[in-house]
């Protein structure tokens, strides 16, 4: 589903953030992207979101080189993605319902369908009944779960998360990771960037480690 | 997937998307209205500035049109009266007539001798008694000319100049006492109206450019306030058109509100002026009433303002969108 083929990224005027990165991630697979701060984790995710373009190499998603995706097609490509951020990026002037509904509204889904799917997504993250609340009245963990509901409401095939547990205590972090596990089991490709070593130890899944832009797969069974 | 099931499903998907599309238009309009309302002071300020920029050229336009209504239409072809000196002899008058008829800019010449003029006057009873007491005929011989001068493409400025030129030429003839150009002031007025219309068009263009800037600026500020929202919409796959739509409605609404305010101001101004106009008109036993904005003009103004507002917003959003996220 996702394939990096010798992908490098150099920011204009900066050093190389990613150098010749190779890896593959299939549907129903989950990988943790680890590494020190500044290792290039966010850069890798931004390439997948086409917020940045690779300097070299091919970045294939479902066989299409999205490194060369025409600007006009970017919105349609992004509708296959679900994205979760550390600071959840919820719109504070709207209700939880309206926040979660956004990915459906931008792709023109009918309103009866929107209601159904938003309810289902909120139920899946354990927030059924919170539709009418404002994000700021929720706890940090709840806000992050609203962010996850928004990321999966349109049933994306790829779920990307950049430090989704960064602001949460270990217990809540584990809960969030369990949620990602559930989406993985339903066939979604999940890629989670984190520098939380403890979290990495708890979970039994692939680990892709970045060190100054160089990626290596950690073999946990050695 | 077999064809018979694929086609209806695709059709269903498209009709759903269409419904979602129109749904978003409606939602965008409602959202824009709500935002204009929640930011009433700023919206009112913008609408007022837009209203002034519309009302000023519109008021000038109405003034020019009202003056044009008052001004009698130009006679075509133009006419000129040539009075001979009373001392002129019969032969001199005949020579003058031939000279006038031969002039390339003169179409017809109708001659009224001094005696004929006196006879015409005498027919009017009130003059008859007075004329009886005169020792000799005081009237000059009169040549009335219709000219082969026509305004080209309604260019009355050039026509007025040529008439003035012809008048001076005839005035210089030895037997001629006086050349009268009754319609010269009218020619001048029409020339001035023409100039006023041109100036008006230029002023209107300038002020409309101001409207574009003012609305564009308001929209720009609105975009700045909603930056976070725009970024999120783009992340979840919203197109530029989707992001732009509520701002286009906001721009159009600014235009419409401004135009409505301007119309209101114009209507009340004409109403106020018409009160004094009708007092004046009773004094002069005339029926004149100022012409205010007409239905069709008002409708056009509203539509044009809406379009201009949306266009201004379009420019503003397009410029801002590139600045917000790389893509
Ligand atoms: N927009 C940018 N322009 C220039 N350099 C950047 C930009 N974003 C990140 N970098 C640099 O790229 C490297 C990787 O950054 P990032 O991908 O954010 O790392 P991480 O998410 O692992 O902390 C860092 O050295 C960072 O300074
Ligand atoms: Mg980062």
């Amino acid at each position: 589903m996702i394939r990096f083929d010798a992908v490098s990224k150099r920011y204009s005027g900066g050093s190389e953030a990613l150098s010749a990165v190779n890896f593959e991630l299939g549907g129903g697979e989950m990988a943790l992207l680890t590494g020190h701060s500044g290792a290039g984790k966010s850069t890798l995710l931004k390439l997948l979101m086409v917020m940045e373009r690779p300097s070299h190499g091919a970045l294939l998603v479902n066989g299409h080189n999205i490194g060369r995706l025409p600007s006009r097609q970017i919105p349609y490509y992004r509708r296959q993605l679900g994205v979760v951020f550390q600071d959840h990026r919820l719109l504070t002037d709207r209700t939880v319902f309206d926040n979660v509904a956004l990915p459906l509204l931008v792709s023109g889904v009918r309103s009866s369908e929107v209601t159904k799917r938003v309810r289902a997504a909120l139920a899946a993250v354990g927030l059924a009944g919170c539709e009418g609340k404002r994000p700021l009245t929720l706890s940090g963990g709840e806000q992050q779960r609203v962010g996850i509901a928004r990321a999966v409401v349109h049933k994306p095939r790829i779920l990307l998360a950049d430090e989704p547990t960064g602001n949460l205590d270990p217990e809540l972090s584990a809960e969030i990771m369990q949620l990602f596990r559930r989406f993985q089991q339903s066939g979604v490709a999940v890629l989670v960037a984190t520098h939380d070593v403890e979290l990495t130890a708890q979970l039994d899944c692939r680990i892709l480690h970045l060190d100054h832009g160089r990626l290596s797969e950690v073999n946990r069974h050695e | 997937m077999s064809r018979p099931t694929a086609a209806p499903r695709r059709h269903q998907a498209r009709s759903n998307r269409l419904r979602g599309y129109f749904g978003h238009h409606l939602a965008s309009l409602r959202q824009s209205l709500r935002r204009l309302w929640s930011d009433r002071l700023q919206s009112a300020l913008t609408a007022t500035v837009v209203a002034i920029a519309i009302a000023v050229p519109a008021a000038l336009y109405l003034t020019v049109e009202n003056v044009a209504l008052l001004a009698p239409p130009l006679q075509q072809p133009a006419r000129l009266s040539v009075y001979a000196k009373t001392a002129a002899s019969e032969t001199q008058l005949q020579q003058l007539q031939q000279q006038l008829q031969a002039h390339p800019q003169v179409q017809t010449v109708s001659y009224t001798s001094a005696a004929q003029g006196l006879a015409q006057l005498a027919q009017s009873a009130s003059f008859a008694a007075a004329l009886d007491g005169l020792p000799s005929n005081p009237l000059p011989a009169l040549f009335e000319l219709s000219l082969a001068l026509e305004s080209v493409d309604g260019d009355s400025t050039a026509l007025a100049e040529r008439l003035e030129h012809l008048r001076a030429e005839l005035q210089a003839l030895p037997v001629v006492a006086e050349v009268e150009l009754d319609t010269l002031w009218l020619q001048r007025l029409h020339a001035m109206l023409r100039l006023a219309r041109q100036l008006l068009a230029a002023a209107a263009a300038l002020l409309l450019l101001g409207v574009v800037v003012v609305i564009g600026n308001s929209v720009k500020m609105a975009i700045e306030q909603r930056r976070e929202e725009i970024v999120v919409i783009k992340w979840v796959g919203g197109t530029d058109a989707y992001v732009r739509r509520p701002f286009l409605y906001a721009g159009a609404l600014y235009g419409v509100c401004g135009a409505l305010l301007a119309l209101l101001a114009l209507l009340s101004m004409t109403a106020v002026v018409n009160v004094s106009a009708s007092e004046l008109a009773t004094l002069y036993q005339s029926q004149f009433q100022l012409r205010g904005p007409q239905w069709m003009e008002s409708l056009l103004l509203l539509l044009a303002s809406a379009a201009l507002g949306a266009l201004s917003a379009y420019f503003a959003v397009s410029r801002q969108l590139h600045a917000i996220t790389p893509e």
Side-chain angles (χ1 to χ4, degrees), chain B residues 12-299:
Chain B
Q12 174 82 34
R14 184 163 0 117
S15 88
N16 277 354
R17 203 162 320 130
L18 267 182
R19 211 166 314 162
Y21 180 77
F22 288 116
H24 183 240
H25 269 281
L26 227 105
S28 299
L29 181 59
R30 233 180 291 138
Q31 195 185 42
S32 305
L33 275 169
R34 213 177 313 125
R35 283 179 190 166
L36 289 193
W37 181 247
S38 73
D39 210 357
R40 306 186 262 294
L41 198 70
Q42 174 63 34
S43 307
L45 209 68
T46 305
T48 307
V49 175
V50 171
I52 292 169
I54 293 173
V56 168
L60 289 174
Y61 166 78
L62 285 178
T63 309
V64 171
E65 290 313 305
N66 276 306
V67 172
L69 267 185
L70 272 176
L74 278 175
Q75 266 182 7
Q76 293 281 10
R79 305 184 74 85
L80 231 142
S81 303
V82 177
Y83 296 96
K85 288 179 176 151
T86 36
S89 70
E90 203 59 34
T91 14
Q92 279 175 319
L93 288 174
Q94 268 170 23
Q95 268 173 4
L96 179 59
Q97 184 166 17
Q98 278 160 12
Q99 217 171 343
L100 289 174
Q101 263 159 354
H103 197 283
Q105 288 175 337
V106 173
Q107 225 163 32
T108 61
V109 179
S110 98
Y111 174 60
T112 312
S113 71
Q116 282 166 338
L118 193 66
Q120 275 169 18
L121 261 189
Q123 277 170 6
S124 145
S126 47
F127 278 112
L131 291 175
D132 276 344
L134 287 175
S136 65
N137 185 351
L139 294 180
L142 167 66
F143 298 89
E144 283 175 299
L145 313 182
S146 85
L147 302 178
L149 284 175
E150 304 228 347
S151 64
V152 184
D153 307 329
D155 185 356
S156 29
T157 318
L159 182 59
E161 266 170 29
R162 283 156 70 196
L163 274 175
E164 188 57 58
H165 194 261
L166 181 61
R167 195 186 73 85
E169 184 190 331
L170 298 180
Q171 184 76 67
L173 293 176
V175 200
V176 172
E178 184 75 52
V179 180
E180 212 167 69
L181 194 53
D182 283 342
T183 57
L184 186 60
W185 69 272
L186 202 55
Q187 304 280 358
R188 290 241 165 86
L189 181 64
H190 279 270
M192 267 159 60
L193 279 176
R194 217 177 100 82
L195 184 68
R197 284 198 178 105
Q198 281 170 354
L199 284 176
L200 185 59
L206 217 68
L207 283 164
L208 290 187
L209 198 70
V211 170
V212 173
V213 171
V214 168
I215 292 183
N217 206 48
S218 289
V219 169
K220 194 176 139 187
M221 269 161 38
I223 294 170
E224 276 309 316
Q225 280 173 12
R226 318 212 80 80
R227 180 181 267 271
E228 184 70 18
E229 176 183 334
I230 292 171
V231 169
V232 172
I233 285 174
K234 290 191 120 187
W235 276 337
V236 299
T239 56
D240 283 359
Y242 184 93
V243 172
R244 210 180 274 133
R245 212 164 290 146
F247 295 109
L248 295 190
Y249 276 112
L253 284 171
Y254 280 136
V256 167
C257 292
L260 277 177
L261 279 178
L263 279 174
L264 217 66
L266 288 176
L267 282 172
S268 29
M269 274 194 306
T270 30
V272 167
V273 174
N274 263 339
V275 172
S276 6
S278 54
E279 277 167 13
L280 205 69
T282 346
L283 274 180
Y284 286 86
Q285 291 174 342
S286 117
Q287 302 265 302
F288 183 70
Q289 280 286 291
L290 274 186
R291 182 173 94 64
Q294 311 285 294
W295 273 115
M296 208 53 198
E297 288 170 338
S298 309
L299 194 67

Side-chain angles (χ1 to χ4, degrees), chain A residues 2 23 25-26 29-35 40-46 48 82-86 144 148 151-152 158-166 168 172-184 188-197 199-200 203 205-210 215 220:
Chain A
I2 298 174
F23 78 92
L25 188 73
E29 258 196 295
M30 174 160 163
L32 288 180
L33 189 60
T34 62
K41 304 182 293 294
S42 297
T43 302
L44 194 151
L45 293 179
K46 280 178 187 167
L48 275 169
V83 185
V84 181
F85 299 91
Q86 175 178 359
Q144 191 55 292
I148 294 171
V152 299
I158 298 169
L159 186 59
L160 307 174
D162 195 355
E163 314 269 4
T165 61
L168 303 177
L172 285 173
S173 303
E175 240 173 69
I176 298 284
M177 294 314 276
Q178 283 313 315
L179 269 178
F180 287 137
R181 272 312 269 270
R182 290 235 308 277
F183 293 118
Q184 174 212 346
V188 179
V190 184
L191 186 57
V192 181
T194 181
H195 65 267
D196 188 343
V197 189
L199 204 64
T200 321
L203 275 169
C205 68
R206 281 179 70 187
I207 292 179
L208 302 168
H209 185 72
L210 270 172
L215 186 108
R220 317 184 76 171

Side-chain angles (χ1 to χ4, degrees), chain A residues 49-53 71 74-76 78-79 83 85 89-91 93-94 102-103 105-110 150, chain B residues 12 16-21 24 31 35 226 228-229 231-240 242 325-327:
Chain A
M49 292 172 68
V50 205
M51 283 167 67
E52 297 287 350
R53 305 270 188 170
S71 296
I74 292 175
Y76 304 98
R78 283 184 185 152
R79 291 176 194 177
V83 185
F85 299 91
R89 303 272 184 160
L90 297 178
L91 301 176
D93 62 341
R94 304 183 181 204
L102 207 56
L105 296 180
V106 300
S107 38
V109 174
R110 192 151 41 124
R150 184 182 64 191
Chain B
Q12 174 82 34
N16 277 354
R17 203 162 320 130
L18 267 182
R19 211 166 314 162
Y21 180 77
H24 183 240
Q31 195 185 42
R35 283 179 190 166
R226 318 212 80 80
E228 184 70 18
E229 176 183 334
V231 169
V232 172
I233 285 174
K234 290 191 120 187
W235 276 337
V236 299
T239 56
D240 283 359
Y242 184 93
T325 34
E327 264 167 330

Side-chain angles (χ1 to χ4, degrees), chain A residues 88-159:
Chain A
H88 30 76
R89 303 272 184 160
L90 297 178
L91 301 176
T92 52
D93 62 341
R94 304 183 181 204
T95 59
V96 166
F97 182 96
D98 289 341
N99 269 283
V100 176
L102 207 56
L104 301 175
L105 296 180
V106 300
S107 38
V109 174
R110 192 151 41 124
S111 60
S112 57
E113 180 78 10
V114 170
T115 312
K116 213 169 69 188
R117 290 224 226 156
V118 170
R119 289 228 174 97
L122 282 171
V125 298
L127 286 175
C130 289
E131 286 87 350
K133 293 188 178 168
R134 298 268 163 176
L136 290 181
T137 66
L138 301 176
S139 72
E142 286 170 331
Q143 289 180 13
Q144 191 55 292
R145 281 187 283 156
V146 174
I148 294 171
R150 184 182 64 191
V152 299
V153 71
H154 54 302
K155 299 180 185 156
R157 301 167 72 185
I158 298 169
L159 186 59

